[in-house]
Amino acid sequence: MTQIGQPTQPAFVLVRPQMGENIGAAARAMWNFGLDRLRLVRPRDGWPNPAAGALASGAGRLLDEATLHDDLAGAVADCNWVLATTARPRELTKPVLSPERAMQLAAKRIAAGERVAVLFGPERTGLENDEVARANAIITVPVNPAFPSLNLAQCVLLAAYEWQRQKGGFAHEIDRPGKHHWATAIEVEKLAQHYEERLDQAGFFFPEAKAENMKVNLRNLWSRMRLTQADVQMLHGIMRQMVRWKERGD
């Protein structure tokens, strides 16, 4: 159980959550991104709550292992750094962080041996000022100011996603050739030669004064295309078939 020993991730603390369904959805959002340290402070409908399991959808272990606390002080008693999520402006002097920056700092502190907690308030009102006052910093999401309210699971999902990004190995772009290999330079060169020869025979490079520049542009076209070996074979086949069709027509 990951809550025993030195943690390698932050604890997510749901403060006075109202509906079991939302607790289950929050657990699901956490487990989507590999987080499983869930703490509950005075759930409105008591705990355990059968309604939570239906929305957890495969993350039921988090509900089984969640720790229950009578107050916020007890829920964060072992933590060195506490973050409070809120969408409302607060008249409190605290650092205000984006989810990305908050999780960057959380990752550094946890790597240094500290324990970190992230607080999420109840669905209807969010965290109270005295609860936010216990935190070392605030996480605020740049939402639409005319409609800043996020439901509990959405807020948990945002924080969990940013945590996953900070763990490293997050691919911002994946460029794979599928089941085929990328074409080599010589394969693309032969394709270019094939098309240039056939187009030349068809009289495509006309007028002669522009022919050389047209060939350069065609070569540039091939170099800009990310071709697999299967793509090259298909393009060769297209040109061969077009030539055969023309010859049969003649």
Side-chain angles (χ1 to χ4, degrees):
M1 181 173 173
T2 55
Q3 290 180 323
I4 296 176
Q6 182 58 43
T8 58
Q9 57 178 256
F12 276 25
V13 183
L14 309 188
V15 181
R16 296 177 287 109
Q18 295 172 308
M19 298 177 62
E21 292 87 346
N22 287 338
I23 298 172
R28 178 179 180 177
M30 288 175 63
W31 192 229
N32 282 149
F33 296 101
L35 289 162
D36 60 4
R37 301 183 66 234
L38 177 62
R39 302 180 183 185
L40 305 174
V41 178
R42 297 201 321 273
R44 183 191 65 182
D45 297 334
W47 193 256
N49 187 329
L55 269 293
S57 186
R61 179 178 66 82
L62 275 68
L63 303 179
D64 295 337
E65 297 179 356
T67 58
L68 184 63
H69 304 269
D70 293 330
D71 54 36
L72 179 56
V76 299
D78 63 334
C79 296
N80 309 104
W81 199 53
V82 179
L83 295 156
T85 59
T86 178
R88 292 187 286 122
R90 307 284 182 157
E91 295 181 357
L92 297 169
T93 303
K94 289 186 184 295
V96 179
L97 310 171
S98 68
E100 179 179 16
R101 181 58 177 159
M103 293 301 108
Q104 286 175 350
L105 296 175
K108 290 180 181 179
R109 287 176 177 270
I110 291 172
E114 296 186 34
R115 293 173 180 262
V116 174
V118 184
L119 310 182
F120 301 88
E123 297 89 319
R124 187 174 63 84
T125 60
L127 294 167
E128 299 293 342
N129 278 346
D130 65 325
E131 294 165 337
V132 177
R134 293 179 180 274
N136 303 104
I138 289 172
I139 301 176
T140 296
V141 179
V143 293
N144 176 8
F147 189 61
S149 178
L150 294 173
N151 72 32
L152 179 59
Q154 287 175 327
C155 194
V156 168
L157 183 74
L158 279 169
Y161 166 74
E162 290 296 345
W163 168 257
Q164 179 70 6
R165 290 185 63 206
Q166 303 314 315
K167 286 177 60 180
F170 186 89
H172 291 277
E173 182 176 350
I174 299 175
D175 188 14
R176 295 196 184 107
K179 63 180 181 180
H180 302 286
H181 296 292
W182 293 118
T184 64
I186 188 61
E187 288 168 336
V188 175
E189 173 65 19
K190 289 180 178 179
L191 177 66
Q193 290 175 357
H194 183 190
Y195 269 71
E196 187 174 308
E197 290 169 2
R198 293 303 187 181
L199 290 172
D200 198 13
Q201 292 170 6
F204 176 76
F205 300 111
F206 180 85
E208 187 175 347
K210 295 184 178 180
E212 192 59 35
N213 191 53
M214 293 172 70
K215 292 178 181 179
V216 170
N217 288 339
L218 185 59
R219 291 297 179 108
N220 192 46
L221 170 66
W222 295 123
S223 68
R224 292 202 315 269
M225 296 172 68
R226 189 76 159 128
L227 298 172
T228 65
Q229 292 176 334
D231 295 333
V232 170
Q233 293 169 5
M234 181 183 67
L235 289 166
H236 275 300
I238 289 171
M239 179 56 76
R240 292 189 189 102
Q241 189 61 30
M242 290 176 67
V243 170
R244 292 191 191 104
W245 172 80
K246 179 63 171 62
E247 291 173 346
R248 285 197 301 268
D250 289 344

